[in-house]
Amino acid sequence: MKKSNFWGVAMFMAVSLPLLNSCGSDGDDNDNDGIDTTPITILSDEEKTIAGASSISSSDDFVTLIKGNMVKGYHVGTAKLTVNGNKTIPVTVLPKYHLYDDPICNWGCDVNHVKSHQRQGTYSSKSTSDQIAYENAGAATLLAYMFENGALKSVIAVVSTNHTSQYASYLAERYLMLPYYKGEDTYFIGADALSLEKAKTVAVLQVYNTSYLATVYMPAKNYTRGVSSFNTDYEKRAKDILKQINID
């Protein structure tokens, strides 16, 4: 009896194990295909090679640049890479520069929302129901939130000109900043997308005086303040910049 059971089990294992091993091997090949799908976290302007990738596309070309089997952080944000047509890799691009925490740009939110989410700076006693301000919010001497009928409509950041070079980099890794000339004045206008139609926020950098720079943040959909010509060719200029970028 024992002998019969032994050979019965042996025969079962002999038949079953090759099948189990075969199924496991096929599954691993199909799931991995030699591509590591672990989520990627890189800094802006940092590059990472994806071994085994013959093709890569990104869900957001504003966040990542692709060349061959390499991905590069373009702007702060998140995106998903599709590798070899069937593998997905989440990508997070983090900033290098932290002059001040990104302002709260939840357009239309109320004062209480801003107060509960603004972590940096000292609340200014000069704040009113239509304007609340924070002093010394990181490197921002002043960060002011403007409201209309109780809804957030714009944010103003004032930064010392001592931070000029870092400030340009700080904004450039969060927005696609392009120059705009109006008479003798030069502005830098940026959006958080490659087209204004997809953008949520527009940032306008200008010289406030000899000591300070000022950036005004506002909803992209409301951006009509005398720069319609800039609006119409923003996407074209953005695409031209993409063509000129070399990430080798």
Side-chain angles (χ1 to χ4, degrees):
M1 190 73 175
K2 291 181 179 178
K3 184 175 181 181
S4 175
N5 286 341
F6 172 81
W7 285 110
V9 171
M11 289 298 292
F12 174 79
M13 295 299 292
V15 173
S16 299
L17 283 176
L19 292 175
L20 291 173
N21 290 336
S22 175
C23 290
S25 175
D26 288 345
D28 289 343
D29 289 343
N30 290 335
D31 289 344
N32 297 328
D33 196 26
I35 303 297
D36 183 359
T37 57
T38 303
I40 295 172
T41 299
I42 54 178
L43 297 174
S44 65
D45 208 37
E46 183 180 359
E47 302 169 357
K48 182 176 178 61
T49 298
I50 300 178
S54 58
S55 67
I56 306 175
S57 61
S58 174
S59 64
D60 194 338
D61 292 335
F62 179 80
V63 176
T64 56
L65 292 173
I66 305 298
K67 187 170 184 179
N69 65 344
M70 182 183 295
V71 58
K72 181 176 182 178
Y74 189 24
H75 292 98
V76 173
T78 59
K80 289 184 179 180
L81 303 181
T82 300
V83 180
N84 295 351
N86 60 356
K87 299 295 182 293
T88 300
I89 305 177
V91 179
T92 299
V93 178
L94 299 177
K96 288 182 180 178
Y97 299 91
H98 301 271
L99 286 181
Y100 54 88
D101 288 349
D102 295 336
I104 298 158
C105 294
N106 295 339
W107 307 118
C109 72
D110 61 17
V111 171
N112 290 331
H113 179 87
V114 173
K115 287 182 177 179
S116 63
H117 288 80
Q118 178 63 39
R119 307 299 183 190
Q120 281 186 320
T122 302
Y123 186 76
S124 174
S125 60
K126 298 180 180 179
S127 298
T128 67
S129 59
D130 293 328
Q131 175 183 315
I132 60 174
Y134 294 84
E135 299 173 359
N136 301 316
T141 303
L142 181 71
L143 195 63
Y145 291 88
M146 317 297 289
F147 296 83
E148 187 175 84
N149 298 323
L152 180 64
K153 69 172 185 177
S154 62
V155 184
I156 301 173
V158 178
V159 176
S160 169
T161 51
N162 293 332
H163 300 295
T164 297
S165 60
Q166 284 193 345
Y167 197 29
S169 298
Y170 167 90
L171 289 172
E173 64 182 5
R174 291 162 170 81
Y175 299 88
L176 179 59
M177 303 296 293
L178 301 176
Y180 175 73
Y181 307 98
K182 187 176 182 180
E184 297 181 355
D185 296 325
T186 300
Y187 303 86
F188 285 88
I189 305 174
D192 55 358
L194 294 181
S195 67
L196 292 178
E197 290 78 11
K198 295 181 180 179
K200 173 188 173 185
T201 299
V202 162
V204 181
L205 171 65
Q206 57 188 313
V207 176
Y208 183 70
N209 56 34
T210 56
S211 299
Y212 292 102
L213 303 169
T215 298
V216 179
Y217 302 84
M218 65 189 79
K221 65 179 181 180
N222 295 338
Y223 191 59
T224 58
R225 296 175 57 184
V227 290
S228 57
S229 60
F230 182 91
N231 291 358
T232 56
D233 68 354
Y234 181 93
E235 185 171 3
K236 179 181 181 302
R237 296 171 70 182
K239 289 180 178 178
D240 289 342
I241 287 177
L242 280 175
K243 291 179 182 178
Q244 296 168 15
I245 291 176
N246 188 336
I247 67 170
D248 284 337

